[in-house]
């Protein structure tokens, strides 16, 4: 608070007042700390505006970056991994909301931007459903956004990336994003009954080790922001390789990393690649927190290769009842209106793609039969609607009024009725059959 004297008057000016609501980050300094895209969504909701409006009218005008507003808008919507854009976005949001904790979420300041974060949203439906049942604020944790995190350790369930309703992937943030909901069809993403169950995980030890290390790293964000991460990691890795028998090239072969990638990790001038650092730590049995935030002692640096490197691609091993899958598909073929492949997949606890890959002919038959049924049902509904239009036109005419399209749509209670060309043609035929002239002005 500051006192300004002007023309003999004392005026109180509060320089700490923020332009936008000063929302707090959810679960700050914990393993489930909120992500930046989720914070932007909640900030927009708190002001009763869309994310697109918040970005266009509040954030972009304050960005100190060159480029057209439309280009900057698209980059922010796609959550570009540009370090300059990320820093500017954090700066503007901190200035607008007055929340200094947002600076801690700028991971690009600490680690390489290469494949650190995913390009699309992922979520654990069980976590979202738990938030909802417990009456907590719905948000999306930062740990879900890391490209190397594929599972939720709490619920032992793979993170989902496709909406259970429209089966579409989503960007990290879109103009209409809402935490916990699909940005395309508005479906609730926490409906656990819409996802396969009883999924078995291969290489559990690797996945849980990654999850624990990332969670520990997120909880250490306040401390990480105050240390020279590049120099500390480089010095610790050099200690490890000095006490490990063999050259750096041999060490790179043992942990199955390219020599150039390992060399980059020990370079103080290059931001460390988090995914590569996790693989090295897993092989030598040291946590990322120990390597990145502490000075290794000599006794800790006597490293023995304790575990084999994790595979780059870790498939999910599912116990599948193929006979049950075939039975459900055969039953669907005999049904007059078969369920969708997605619904069948949920019943047998597999992915839709798995059924399509192992039973391509049956899946094609079911899809074709379902589409044909939907086409005929739509056609029947369309004909019934046209007949109702004709009856309504006659009904209005007998009242002594001209049956305009507006009066017909109002009578039927469907304002969108004549957006369909077929309904428009049906109205014309009904009016002409009564010997009336078409009056297009009276709508």
């Amino acid at each position: 608070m500051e006192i300004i004297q002007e023309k003999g008057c004392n005026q109180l000016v509060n320089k700490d007042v923020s332009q936008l609501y000063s929302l707090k980050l959810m679960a700050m300094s914990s393993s489930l700390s909120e992500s930046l895209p989720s914070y932007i969504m909640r900030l927009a909701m708190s002001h009763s505006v869309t994310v697109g409006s918040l970005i266009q009218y509040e954030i972009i005008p304050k960005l100190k970056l060159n480029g057209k507003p439309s280009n900057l808008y698209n980059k922010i919507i796609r959550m570009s991994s540009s370090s300059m854009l990320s820093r500017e976005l954090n700066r503007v949001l901190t200035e607008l909301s007055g929340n200094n904790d947002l600076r801690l979420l700028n991971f690009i300041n600490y680690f390489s931007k290469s494949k650190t974060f995913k390009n699309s949203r992922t979520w654990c439906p069980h976590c979202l459903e738990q938030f909802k049942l417990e009456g907590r604020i719905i948000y999306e944790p930062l740990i879900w956004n890391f490209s190397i995190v594929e599972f939720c350790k709490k619920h032992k369930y793979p993170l989902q990336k496709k909406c259970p309703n429209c089966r579409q992937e989503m960007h990290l943030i879109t103009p209409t994003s809402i935490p916990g909901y699909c940005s395309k069809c508005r479906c609730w993403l926490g409906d656990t009954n819409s996802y396969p169950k009883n999924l078995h995980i291969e290489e559990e030890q690797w996945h849980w080790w990654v999850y624990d290390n990332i969670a520990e790293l997120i909880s250490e964000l306040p401390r990480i922001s105050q240390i020279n991460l590049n120099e500390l990691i480089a010095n610790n890795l050099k200690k490890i390789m000095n006490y490990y028998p063999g050259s750096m090239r041999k060490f790179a072969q043992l942990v199955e990393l390219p020599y150039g990638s390992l060399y980059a990790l020990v370079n103080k001038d290059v931001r460390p690649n988090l995914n590569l650092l996790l693989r090295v730590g897993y092989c030598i049995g040291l946590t990322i927190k120990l390597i990145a935030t502490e000075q290794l002692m000599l006794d800790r640096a006597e490293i023995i290769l304790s575990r084999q490197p994790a595979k780059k691609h870790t498939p999910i091993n599912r116990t599948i009842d193929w006979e049950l899958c075939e039975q459900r598909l055969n039953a669907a073929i005999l049904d007059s209106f078969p369920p969708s492949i997605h619904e069948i997949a949920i019943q047998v606890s597999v992915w839709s793609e798995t059924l399509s890959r192992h039973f391509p002919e049956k899946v094609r038959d079911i899809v074709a039969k379902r589409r044909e049924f939907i086409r005929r049902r739509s056609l029947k509904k369309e004909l019934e609607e046209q007949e109702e239009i004709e009856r309504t036109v006659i009904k209005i005419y007998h009242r002594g009024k001209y049956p305009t399209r507006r009066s017909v749509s109002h009578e039927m209670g469907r304002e969108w009725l004549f957006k369909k060309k077929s309904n428009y043609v049906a109205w014309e035929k009904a009016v002409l059959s009564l010997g009336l002239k078409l009056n297009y002005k009276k709508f």
Side-chain angles (χ1 to χ4, degrees):
M1 190 75 70
E2 183 179 351
I3 300 177
I4 298 179
Q5 292 186 352
E6 183 177 358
K7 294 182 181 180
C9 298
N10 292 340
Q11 183 180 1
L12 296 178
V13 178
N14 190 350
K15 290 188 175 182
D16 296 330
V17 176
S18 61
Q19 185 172 338
L20 301 179
Y21 295 141
S22 184
L23 287 184
K24 291 185 178 180
L25 282 167
M26 298 298 297
M28 187 57 194
S29 299
S30 72
S31 60
L32 293 179
S33 178
E34 185 175 17
S35 66
L36 185 60
S38 174
Y39 182 83
I40 295 175
M41 296 178 207
R42 289 200 307 113
L43 190 62
M45 289 175 61
S46 67
H47 292 84
S48 300
V49 297
T50 63
V51 171
S53 297
L54 178 67
I55 292 174
Q56 183 176 358
Y57 298 110
E58 296 293 339
I59 295 177
I60 289 181
K62 293 185 178 296
L63 289 176
K64 296 179 180 178
L65 294 174
N66 296 326
K68 296 181 179 179
S70 59
N71 294 338
L72 294 175
Y73 179 86
N74 291 332
K75 287 182 179 180
I76 295 173
I77 287 298
R78 295 170 185 169
M79 288 307 290
S80 170
S81 59
S82 167
S83 57
M84 184 179 296
L85 177 61
S86 179
R87 285 195 296 269
E88 270 296 291
L89 186 58
N90 271 270
R91 182 192 64 79
V92 171
L93 285 172
T94 301
E95 178 183 328
L96 290 173
S97 66
N99 188 348
N100 293 321
D101 292 337
L102 292 175
R103 300 183 188 276
L104 301 178
L105 296 183
N106 196 3
F107 255 84
I108 294 177
N109 285 341
Y110 315 129
F111 294 98
S112 167
K113 65 182 181 180
S114 176
K115 297 181 181 179
T116 299
F117 292 107
K118 299 167 184 170
N119 294 322
S120 58
R121 282 171 75 182
T122 57
W123 60 89
C124 172
H126 297 277
C127 286
L128 292 176
E129 186 68 9
Q130 186 175 357
F131 291 162
K132 189 175 183 180
L133 292 176
E134 294 177 357
R136 297 164 60 185
I137 295 175
I138 306 298
Y139 75 99
E140 299 179 9
L142 173 63
I143 196 169
W144 293 351
N145 291 352
F146 285 86
S147 60
I148 202 167
V149 177
E150 301 177 26
F151 295 86
C152 170
K153 184 179 180 181
K154 183 177 181 180
H155 298 101
K156 304 293 190 293
Y157 198 80
L159 298 180
Q160 302 298 301
K161 63 179 181 178
K162 289 186 178 181
C163 169
N165 183 46
C166 64
R167 305 299 297 163
Q168 297 293 317
E169 295 186 13
M170 292 159 272
H171 289 300
L172 287 174
I173 191 169
T174 67
T176 56
S177 291
I178 298 177
Y181 289 86
C182 175
S183 58
K184 298 186 177 180
C185 70
R186 294 293 183 270
C187 170
W188 168 240
L189 301 176
D191 184 5
T192 54
N193 295 324
S194 300
Y195 300 92
K197 299 177 176 59
N198 302 323
L199 299 180
H200 298 278
I201 304 170
E202 188 173 301
E203 295 189 9
E204 278 193 13
Q205 186 181 16
W206 158 249
H207 286 296
W208 304 154
W209 189 87
V210 166
Y211 188 96
D212 289 338
N213 274 262
I214 295 292
E216 195 174 34
L217 202 61
I218 293 174
S219 63
E220 289 288 324
L221 277 176
R223 184 181 174 192
I224 291 176
S225 62
Q226 299 174 1
I227 62 177
N228 189 338
L229 199 68
N230 292 21
E231 184 175 354
L232 195 57
I233 290 176
N235 291 338
N236 285 339
L237 287 178
K238 286 178 181 178
K239 283 184 181 180
I240 291 170
M241 286 182 282
N242 287 338
Y243 279 82
Y244 187 86
S247 63
M248 182 189 296
R249 193 175 297 277
K250 185 177 180 181
F251 183 80
Q253 292 174 353
L254 290 173
V255 295
E256 294 185 5
L257 284 181
Y259 174 76
S261 299
L262 185 61
Y263 181 80
L265 285 177
V266 298
N267 188 343
K268 299 178 182 180
D269 299 326
V270 179
R271 292 192 184 98
N273 185 300
L274 180 60
N275 296 350
L276 298 181
L277 199 60
L278 283 165
R279 289 174 60 81
V280 172
Y282 180 77
C283 294
I284 62 180
L286 293 179
T287 65
I288 299 303
K289 178 185 175 182
L290 188 63
I291 297 176
T293 64
E294 296 183 18
Q295 290 284 354
L296 283 179
M297 305 298 292
L298 293 180
D299 56 342
R300 287 181 176 177
E302 296 173 356
I303 304 301
I304 299 175
L305 193 66
S306 58
R307 286 179 285 204
Q308 291 298 319
K311 298 178 181 178
K312 291 184 180 180
H313 303 285
T314 53
I316 306 169
N317 182 22
R318 304 181 181 89
T319 303
I320 301 175
D321 189 342
W322 297 111
E323 292 184 4
L324 178 61
C325 293
E326 191 169 9
Q327 289 175 7
R328 295 296 173 86
L329 291 173
N330 290 333
I333 292 174
L334 298 176
D335 196 346
S336 59
F337 180 41
S340 66
I341 300 301
H342 178 59
E343 292 171 340
I344 298 174
I346 291 175
Q347 295 173 6
V348 295
S349 297
V350 298
W351 303 114
S352 304
E353 294 79 2
T354 303
L355 292 178
S356 301
R357 187 167 57 251
H358 287 84
F359 305 98
E361 295 181 0
K362 295 181 185 295
V363 169
R364 280 197 296 268
D365 292 342
I366 292 172
V367 171
K369 190 172 184 178
R370 181 178 173 84
R371 285 178 179 172
E372 180 63 21
F373 181 90
I374 293 174
R375 187 189 69 81
R376 291 183 179 181
R377 185 177 62 181
S378 300
L379 182 60
K380 182 181 178 181
K381 184 177 180 180
E382 189 176 322
L383 292 174
E384 291 175 350
E385 198 169 50
Q386 293 172 10
E387 292 175 358
E388 188 178 356
I389 290 173
E390 185 178 357
R391 291 194 298 269
T392 305
V393 167
I394 296 173
K395 183 178 179 181
I396 295 174
Y397 174 73
H398 286 319
R399 292 177 187 168
K401 296 181 180 180
Y402 185 87
T404 63
R405 285 171 289 165
R406 184 187 295 273
S407 61
V408 171
S409 60
H410 182 72
E411 182 76 20
M412 295 176 63
R414 304 170 198 171
E415 298 300 326
W416 46 264
L417 187 65
F418 291 103
K419 289 185 177 181
K420 293 182 181 178
K421 187 177 180 180
S422 58
N423 290 345
Y424 183 87
V425 173
W427 170 79
E428 287 184 333
K429 289 182 178 179
V431 171
L432 292 174
S433 67
L434 295 173
L436 301 174
K437 292 183 179 180
L438 295 175
N439 191 344
Y440 296 104
K441 295 182 180 180
K442 291 184 179 181
F443 184 74

